[in-house]
Amino acid sequence: YYLLPGHEDTWSRVLASFTDITRQKQAEERLKAYQGCLEEKVARRTRQLDMTSKDLSREIERRKESQEKLKQHYQTEKHLRQELEGQIKQRVEFTRALVHELKTPLTPLISSCETLASHASDTTVKHMAETILAGGKAINQRIDELMDVARGEIGMLKMHFHQCDLKKVAMETGEYMSSAFKTKKQSFNIEAPEPSISVNIDSKRIKQVIINLLDNAYKYTPRGGRVVLRVYKKADHGVVEVEDNGLGVSDIVQKRLFNSTCATGPDSYAVKGMGLGLVLSKMLVDLHGGKIWVKSTGKGSTFGFSLPIREAE
């Protein structure tokens, strides 16, 4: 209650209300601070998005360039592959033509020599006929090897697998080659301790591999030398080895001996042939899922290969 000026005889009554706005002010300050923080976050995020956008643009450009380069590489690879296929086709056609041209005169030559050797009464003539016959058969074998190598390089070498005894295959091949070692008075022995080694192989092709290894040992072992054919089992593999005490093989040649590019190198181990036998042997062993190797330290060498012991699929 209070008196108004000029109205001292009258009491007036005023109702006043007071509100504490401290909390409201604090809330407003906090809101303003939050808005500032939010704006800063938005600005920072915007800058990050701008940087990301620029990085993404650069990445897109980089990928476009990569795709263009990949396209160019693909076209180049396609062109080179077509050239390679054309060269392979030409090589196969040339090899077939070469084999045909060589075999055509060779077939009657071998036939005539066989007839002459069987009917010749003169010892000298008979010996000459047999020598020519042996040479003709050797040439015929090399021609077959050449064709097989060409087929193997393009995946056309046919295989006929069946279950058989690796020991029996090796011993039959060793007996077949034994007469050759006698002509040079070389000692030839077969070591086969296992009763049998059952494998799923193309026995004709594996005999071909063993003949190639024995033939190498025969050629590179001097007169009166020693050759051993071993057949044994090691873990889950059948192993065939041909050991000799001949020339030996240098470390350099060992690394490239089963490669077709090694065919006519200057090393003494390559001068007596084209090396096709070993190249073909590696192809055949690879097709059986096996491994082939050579070990030589100074004098003598051991050629061997292993085949997995498994049943017919």
Side-chain angles (χ1 to χ4, degrees):
Y1 294 89
Y2 62 95
L3 293 174
L4 293 173
H7 300 278
E8 288 77 1
D9 57 343
T10 304
W11 290 88
S12 298
R13 185 173 65 182
V14 177
L15 180 61
S17 175
F18 300 92
T19 303
D20 187 357
I21 62 173
T22 302
R23 292 183 178 178
Q24 183 179 351
K25 290 290 185 180
Q26 292 175 346
E28 290 176 355
E29 291 296 330
R30 287 196 298 270
L31 180 60
K32 186 182 293 185
Y34 177 74
Q35 288 176 342
C37 181
L38 184 61
E39 290 174 356
E40 176 62 26
K41 287 184 177 179
V42 171
R44 186 168 62 250
R45 185 58 177 166
T46 301
R47 289 193 297 271
Q48 291 176 349
L49 288 175
D50 288 341
M51 293 177 63
T52 303
S53 178
K54 291 179 181 178
D55 291 341
L56 184 60
S57 298
R58 286 194 293 267
E59 179 65 18
I60 291 173
E61 290 298 324
R62 188 186 66 81
R63 292 196 178 190
K64 285 182 179 179
E65 292 176 0
S66 299
Q67 288 176 352
E68 186 63 28
K69 289 181 180 179
L70 183 62
K71 184 178 180 180
Q72 294 175 0
H73 290 325
Y74 171 75
Q75 293 296 334
T76 303
E77 186 272 340
K78 182 180 179 181
H79 177 68
L80 292 175
R81 177 162 48 83
Q82 289 174 346
E83 285 188 352
L84 179 61
E85 288 175 352
Q87 291 174 2
I88 290 175
K89 184 178 180 181
Q90 291 178 359
R91 178 176 176 178
V92 172
E93 290 176 352
F94 172 77
T95 304
R96 287 176 176 171
L98 177 63
V99 168
H100 175 73
E101 291 296 323
L102 292 174
K103 286 236 179 192
T104 299
L106 189 61
T107 302
L109 175 65
I110 292 176
S111 177
S112 298
C113 286
E114 287 177 342
T115 303
L116 181 61
S118 61
H119 291 83
S121 57
D122 185 272
T123 305
T124 303
V125 174
K126 184 178 181 67
H127 177 70
M128 292 175 63
E130 290 175 345
T131 302
I132 296 173
L133 177 61
K137 288 183 176 180
I139 294 174
N140 190 56
Q141 181 183 348
R142 296 297 176 265
I143 294 172
D144 291 337
E145 288 176 352
L146 176 63
M147 194 63 202
D148 283 339
V149 169
R151 290 193 185 106
E153 288 180 341
I154 60 174
M156 293 179 61
L157 194 60
K158 294 182 179 181
M159 308 290 289
H160 302 282
F161 291 87
H162 61 279
Q163 204 72 23
C164 60
D165 184 3
L166 181 60
K167 174 182 176 179
K168 182 179 179 181
V169 171
M171 293 189 69
E172 288 177 352
T173 310
E175 291 172 1
Y176 168 77
M177 290 290 294
S178 61
S179 58
F181 297 106
K182 292 179 181 178
T183 60
K184 290 178 67 175
K185 299 188 180 302
Q186 294 169 336
S187 168
F188 176 64
N189 296 304
I190 301 176
E191 298 178 1
E194 302 289 341
S196 65
I197 304 174
S198 180
V199 289
N200 183 37
I201 59 173
D202 183 330
S203 59
K204 180 180 177 181
R205 293 298 189 180
I206 294 303
K207 283 184 178 181
Q208 194 173 359
V209 174
I210 300 173
I211 287 174
N212 285 334
L213 300 186
L214 289 173
D215 185 57
N216 275 343
Y218 165 78
K219 288 189 296 186
Y220 296 105
T221 301
R223 188 177 184 85
R226 175 182 56 84
V227 178
V228 179
L229 172 63
R230 295 191 184 91
V231 191
Y232 60 93
K233 186 186 297 184
K234 184 177 182 181
D236 56 349
H237 284 73
V239 180
V240 177
E241 288 183 340
V242 175
E243 179 185 350
D244 64 67
N245 61 347
L247 295 177
V249 188
S250 67
D251 293 338
I252 296 176
V253 175
Q254 287 184 41
K255 296 177 181 179
R256 58 186 177 90
L257 194 57
F258 299 103
N259 190 325
S260 58
T261 59
C262 175
T264 55
D267 191 272
S268 60
Y269 207 89
V271 298
K272 295 187 180 180
M274 296 178 65
L276 290 175
L278 293 178
V279 175
L280 178 60
S281 296
K282 185 179 187 305
M283 284 184 179
L284 295 176
V285 172
D286 288 345
L287 288 172
H288 282 80
K291 293 181 180 180
I292 191 168
W293 62 84
V294 56
K295 298 177 182 177
S296 182
T297 54
K299 189 175 182 180
S301 58
T302 300
F303 285 80
F305 65 92
S306 62
L307 301 172
I309 297 176
R310 58 189 177 193
E311 298 297 325
E313 297 179 359

